[in-house]
Amino acid sequence: MTPDEFRRAGYAVVDWIADYWATLGQRPVASQDSPGAVAAGLPAGPPEHGEPVEAVLADLESLIAPRLTHWQHPGFFGYFPANTSGPSVLGDLVSAGLGVQGMLWATGPACTELETVLLDWLADLLELPKRFHSGSGGGGVIQDSASSATLVATLVALHRAGGGRWREVGVDRRYRAYTSTQGHSSIEKAARIAGLGTDGVRPVEVDPDTLAMSPAALRAAIEADRAAGVVPAIVVATVGTTSTTAIDPLPQIGAICAEYGVFLHVDAAYAGAAAVCPELRFGHAGLEYADSYCFDPHKWLLTGFDCDAFWVADPAELIEALTVLPEYLRNAATESGAVIDYRDWQVPLGRRFRALKLWFVLRWYGVEGLRAHIRSGVALAGRFADRVHADDRFELAAAHPYSLVCFRLRADDETNAELLARVNATGRVHLTHTRVAGRYALRLAVGSPQTTEAHVDEAWQLLASTADALLPR
Amino acid sequence: MTPDEFRRAGYAVVDWIADYWATLGQRPVASQDSPGAVAAGLPAGPPEHGEPVEAVLADLESLIAPRLTHWQHPGFFGYFPANTSGPSVLGDLVSAGLGVQGMLWATGPACTELETVLLDWLADLLELPKRFHSGSGGGGVIQDSASSATLVATLVALHRAGGGRWREVGVDRRYRAYTSTQGHSSIEKAARIAGLGTDGVRPVEVDPDTLAMSPAALRAAIEADRAAGVVPAIVVATVGTTSTTAIDPLPQIGAICAEYGVFLHVDAAYAGAAAVCPELRFGHAGLEYADSYCFDPHKWLLTGFDCDAFWVADPAELIEALTVLPEYLRNAATESGAVIDYRDWQVPLGRRFRALKLWFVLRWYGVEGLRAHIRSGVALAGRFADRVHADDRFELAAAHPYSLVCFRLRADDETNAELLARVNATGRVHLTHTRVAGRYALRLAVGSPQTTEAHVDEAWQLLASTADALLPR
């Protein structure tokens, strides 16, 4: 494809996306088709001769788009938001067009340096502890996801627990990882990948009211394990749990980690973005205890997946844990010690120029634009929670410090599951569910920059009217 | 950003990329600036108020682009190619614009189904063994990189070696991974991440002529380990090693793995793409023994990073090893057992719609276009090797079955390193180096669709004239 062919086809694809966004609100949020509908519509193999881009766009519109869950839809309230934005898409487009491989500083100096600087910008924007800033001996890096950040943190913690011998001799199965019963599934997955097994994870009880990790339970678990000859290696605390956005108390948890010499990773995948607003930094109190921290601009900061921002206080320890240097990657810049080679900060070797999309977002929105976006989400969630609170048939299932509201009908689990199914079947909104203290609850998470009061109100109307049908008056 | 703002800014970005590609050949392939040049040119923080996209594009042109290593440059011959193409960029643009999260079938049915079908297309295109095809009980998935594929294969092998108890009890440090001394660094990294440590990897000697793994040495290592109470868990064989594109003999290695019940993963990251051409499938002989296999369309098949195609013969074993199912991800489709949830096939939870870029590439080029691209690379490498061979001052350092040529001046290592440095300093070409049997060698890897005979001839002219200056006549 020549540059001029690219220009023409590129305009057509840009138009397709602009039209998709303009019509998104009219599309059903999720497909109701059965498994296999897309596969059945595809030919048995690729064409022998090339086809024009227009042919692919036609199939995209008729075959693919109707069978998607539209995560950017203003009525999408499921899981956590994973929102993108125009500037993010354009930054990613530049990255794809450059096709630069950022594994080493030498293989793309600007790719590495822009990333380092932007992670410092973000650290300042969230007012993270100075120790994570590259100017203070720390450092940030973009991972694909919080799952990978948790894995990397776990590996560094194991290396430290093993007295620096982990990288040669492997993992000692007496090491343990601690997280609350509300911790993300990726913590168990990381422990399994790292060779600790599911048995290597200690689920720590939470306070029944706040659903936050109990410091007393953490201390008890650590002391019991130590008495039994087991070695506490890492605590993963969460700011904004996936189920209900509970906030683990970092001041107390951090002090316990410091007392027992345990590595502390803080996972703020969703809620960290809120800290761009000074009044929403409460979850980060005590963060100065953390050895590593991450949040996902790809969740609530208008940057398309994949963009997890991960910081460590001691990059040297991270690099020592993960580096392998074969001859074909040796180069003068690396050997000078004056540069960062981000391949040593992550699981894969290769890496895309992901800092570009973050750069486009930060510059297009500016600090005030980002704050307005976060505040809008919190306000919309508050508006919805007010509706729930004002209707005696419903109850809030947990606090809503950010933009997620967990709620339920005052009815049994089956009725609540039916409520969710019926409301989602309208195609106007898409919510998901969780369990809070064992009981089924619906989750409404606000995040799309296209979501307005009208969309949240429509969601509430659909829920209220479906409740009318489900509950005898 | 409204859809109309996106349309206007999108055209500008498309234009920027088209112009970048059109002028690529005139840019120096790599920057000669010292570390810190980009960081010094950036402000201390993001702007308070938003800026237009044009302002970012201006900085991209003046600050970022001059400090890149241009991987898509027709004179880029370093590492392995990591080439993209117009249709790949556009497919990725659609993916960014949709912003769909493909972790579960339910979160993006078309995202999952298109990927499954395209991996079947690719398996047929490369004529892989039927056991990897989804219609025959196997299955493919897109990983970000071959590093991650190797890690996932290692985890499945450990799960199998542990009799299915690995996921609960963790790794047994008596397990061993085997690869040749020429195996990729990601194999050691995977073993380390998985908790085996560097000590858990057995480097197997190679045949000194072919640089391919010696089956006799593999057998001897396995037998010695078994006698010592150590458990062989996985062999990673390579088709096209990173240093020289050596091809491990799969028929013999596979038979040994079958005899001892060891998991066999085949890493064809770079060379696998060659198998789209029937006459270049020789490296895959014996592949029917493999439990898993991967190659990177993002290296030599015109698809932008990240796109590693990974297959397993037994997906159930893979899923059992990696799945964790929290309440908030439960859904009817998953519980029906009728769908694939690709989150269980990889390390992270989240995933982009990467099948789109592959779809755009396969349809734009068609089978004949892909074959023409591979054949062009092989022919250009052959042309260059002929030049080397015809000049008595030079020698080939290894065979060149694909599009990589390893060569050196008949001189000491320092002279060869100086040759590389001087040629790269011209900014016209970019080559990298390796060591073959301990001796320094230069590597010229052809891959860009923009590379023509003129570019390869220019590389040769620069090398030959620099040799004139370095070697006294």
Side-chain angles (χ1 to χ4, degrees), chain A residues 86-311:
Chain A
S88 174
V89 172
L90 297 178
D92 223 10
L93 172 56
V94 171
S95 172
L98 291 173
V100 164
Q101 182 53 258
M103 58 189 178
L104 303 171
W105 179 89
T107 64
C111 177
T112 296
E113 293 190 22
L114 184 64
E115 185 162 331
T116 304
V117 170
L118 289 199
L119 273 280
D120 282 343
W121 285 13
L122 273 186
D124 290 341
L125 194 57
L126 272 64
E127 217 176 52
L128 299 184
K130 280 285 171 229
R131 63 200 310 232
F132 292 129
H133 200 284
S134 76
S136 307
V141 60
I142 298 175
Q143 304 279 348
D144 59 1
S145 64
S147 300
S148 295
T150 297
L151 175 58
V152 168
T154 301
L155 300 173
V156 179
L158 292 173
H159 187 51
R160 186 192 291 183
R165 298 192 65 237
W166 165 88
R167 48 172 281 161
E168 270 74 42
V169 304
V171 77
D172 186 328
R173 288 195 287 188
R174 291 175 308 149
Y175 300 153
R176 288 292 175 276
Y178 301 77
T179 192
S180 93
T181 55
Q182 305 296 303
H184 192 261
S185 57
S186 58
I187 301 163
E188 178 180 334
K189 194 164 177 176
R192 207 189 284 171
I193 291 168
L196 297 178
T198 302
D199 295 350
V201 181
R202 283 272 181 277
V204 179
E205 286 306 311
V206 295
D207 177 290
D209 293 326
T210 63
L211 302 172
M213 186 190 291
S214 156
L218 175 64
R219 178 184 294 278
I222 288 176
E223 292 196 342
D225 279 346
R226 283 163 54 104
V230 162
V231 182
I234 182 171
V235 171
V236 180
T238 311
V239 174
T241 58
T242 307
S243 184
T244 65
T245 62
I247 302 166
D248 289 344
L250 299 183
Q252 294 90 321
I253 292 170
I256 293 169
C257 289
E259 181 181 340
Y260 293 100
V262 183
F263 190 103
L264 175 61
H265 173 62
V266 174
D267 173 6
Y270 155 73
V276 301
C277 300
E279 75 277 16
L280 293 171
R281 288 184 185 144
F282 44 82
H284 286 168
L287 191 56
E288 62 277 8
Y289 285 110
D291 293 287
S292 59
Y293 167 84
C294 80
F295 88 102
D296 291 342
H298 68 232
K299 283 198 167 73
W300 197 15
L301 210 61
L302 299 162
T303 309
F305 187 89
D306 46 356
C307 185
D308 167 85
F310 174 67
W311 287 267

Side-chain angles (χ1 to χ4, degrees), chain B residues 36 49 90 111 147 168 170 207 209 231 295 322 389 401 428 454 466:
Chain B
H49 309 291
L90 296 178
C111 176
S147 299
E168 270 74 42
D207 177 289
D209 292 327
V231 183
F295 88 103
L322 291 184
H389 188 67
R428 295 294 305 155
T466 307

Side-chain angles (χ1 to χ4, degrees), chain B residues 296-376:
Chain B
D296 291 341
H298 69 230
K299 283 198 166 72
W300 196 16
L301 210 61
L302 300 161
T303 309
F305 187 87
D306 46 359
C307 186
D308 167 84
F310 174 67
W311 287 267
V312 289
D314 182 0
E317 187 179 32
L318 163 62
I319 293 165
E320 186 177 277
L322 291 184
T323 193
V324 185
L325 183 56
E327 182 66 29
Y328 44 80
L329 296 180
R330 288 186 187 274
N331 66 87
T334 296
E335 279 159 30
S336 77
V339 301
I340 290 174
D341 291 328
Y342 275 127
R343 71 184 187 97
D344 292 330
W345 296 50
Q346 63 178 20
V347 171
L349 169 59
R351 56 202 326 268
R352 286 153 52 235
F353 196 167
R354 289 179 292 208
L356 283 172
K357 59 186 171 187
L358 197 52
W359 196 40
F360 274 64
V361 166
L362 294 175
R363 293 187 64 176
W364 170 267
Y365 287 98
V367 174
E368 66 176 4
L370 299 174
R371 287 180 176 155
H373 171 65
I374 294 289
R375 284 169 181 148
S376 157

Side-chain angles (χ1 to χ4, degrees), chain A residues 250-413:
Chain A
L250 299 183
Q252 294 90 321
I253 292 170
I256 293 169
C257 289
E259 181 181 340
Y260 293 100
V262 183
F263 190 103
L264 175 61
H265 173 62
V266 174
D267 173 6
Y270 155 73
V276 301
C277 300
E279 75 277 16
L280 293 171
R281 288 184 185 144
F282 44 82
H284 286 168
L287 191 56
E288 62 277 8
Y289 285 110
D291 293 287
S292 59
Y293 167 84
C294 80
F295 88 102
D296 291 342
H298 68 232
K299 283 198 167 73
W300 197 15
L301 210 61
L302 299 162
T303 309
F305 187 89
D306 46 356
C307 185
D308 167 85
F310 174 67
W311 287 267
V312 290
D314 182 1
E317 187 180 31
L318 164 62
I319 294 165
E320 186 178 276
L322 291 184
T323 193
V324 186
L325 183 56
E327 181 66 29
Y328 45 80
L329 296 180
R330 287 185 188 275
N331 65 89
T334 297
E335 278 159 33
S336 76
V339 301
I340 290 174
D341 291 329
Y342 275 127
R343 71 183 188 97
D344 292 330
W345 296 51
Q346 63 177 23
V347 170
L349 170 59
R351 58 201 325 269
R352 288 154 51 236
F353 196 167
R354 289 178 292 207
L356 284 172
K357 59 186 172 188
L358 197 52
W359 196 39
F360 274 63
V361 166
L362 294 175
R363 293 187 63 177
W364 170 267
Y365 286 100
V367 174
E368 64 176 5
L370 299 174
R371 287 180 177 157
H373 172 65
I374 295 289
R375 286 172 181 148
S376 158
V378 173
L380 290 173
R383 181 183 177 92
F384 179 81
D386 288 345
R387 300 281 184 283
V388 173
H389 188 66
D391 189 321
D392 285 346
R393 298 172 300 171
F394 286 86
E395 63 184 2
L396 292 169
H400 54 95
Y402 302 109
S403 75
L404 170 72
V405 182
C406 294
F407 63 99
R408 66 167 74 87
L409 268 176
R410 296 179 194 272
D412 60 19
D413 289 355

Side-chain angles (χ1 to χ4, degrees), chain B residues 66-80:
Chain B
R67 278 77 176 228
L68 286 175
T69 303
H70 299 289
W71 283 68
Q72 309 307 314
H73 193 292
F76 182 90
F77 299 111
Y79 309 99
F80 275 138

